[in-house]
Amino acid sequence: MTDSYDDLQASYGRCLRKGHFIERFYTLFMDSHPDIPPLFAGTDFSRQYMALRRGISSAIVHAAGSRLAERTMAAMADVHGSRGRALVPPALYPYWVDSLVAAVAEFDPEYTPQLGRRWRQAMEATTAFFVSHY
């Protein structure tokens, strides 16, 4: 691993401690593009919130190059891929990243533009992995 992204894990912890971070992310994400809300029709958001909470942690570890997250990320990519049960068109991933970084900026009291760039770098590595498995 070349970059452990420990700063992102710490930032994520601060966001979660403040409460309602995942919910705020989904509000931002749903409002970011008209094609997104229909993807969540019939979604059990209590389960979805927990899945995303774990997914973000896995995405950080994956971006850091850890092989431990490989299987989890491949399974998530399959779920969101062209044959998955929760299809996400590749064109929508930038909205996901933008919404996540915006939520972090709101919730992490130690947020800086540099930290935002690091979040973006790590999450774009993960979304690129998803797109490559589409």
Side-chain angles (χ1 to χ4, degrees):
M1 291 186 282
T2 58
D3 188 340
S4 65
Y5 289 113
D6 289 340
D7 55 339
L8 300 191
Q9 291 288 7
S11 172
Y12 188 42
R14 290 188 297 270
C15 289
L16 292 175
R17 275 193 298 280
K18 201 167 179 185
H20 304 289
F21 171 75
I22 299 295
E23 293 91 334
R24 179 61 178 150
F25 160 79
Y26 273 110
T27 298
L28 293 168
F29 187 46
M30 298 285 212
D31 291 345
S32 70
H33 193 281
D35 290 346
I36 294 170
L39 298 176
F40 291 91
T43 297
D44 174 351
F45 275 96
S46 61
R47 287 186 57 186
Q48 186 64 31
Y49 291 164
M50 289 306 297
L52 181 64
R53 188 177 169 130
R54 287 187 305 272
I56 292 171
S57 290
S58 294
I60 294 168
V61 172
H62 176 262
S66 172
R67 296 185 56 84
L68 295 174
E70 230 170 77
R71 183 174 288 166
T72 299
M73 295 309 294
M76 288 171 42
D78 287 345
V79 166
H80 296 304
S82 60
R83 295 186 198 114
R85 70 179 189 280
L87 170 76
V88 176
L92 296 179
Y93 283 113
Y95 297 97
W96 188 92
V97 174
D98 290 346
S99 299
L100 181 63
V101 173
V104 170
E106 286 182 30
F107 278 72
D108 183 352
E110 296 181 31
Y111 179 86
T112 64
Q114 179 183 6
L115 183 62
R117 286 189 294 277
R118 298 228 346 116
W119 268 103
R120 188 170 298 284
Q121 175 186 25
M123 295 304 105
E124 287 174 354
T126 295
T127 58
F129 177 81
F130 278 34
V131 169
S132 74
H133 286 79
Y134 188 75

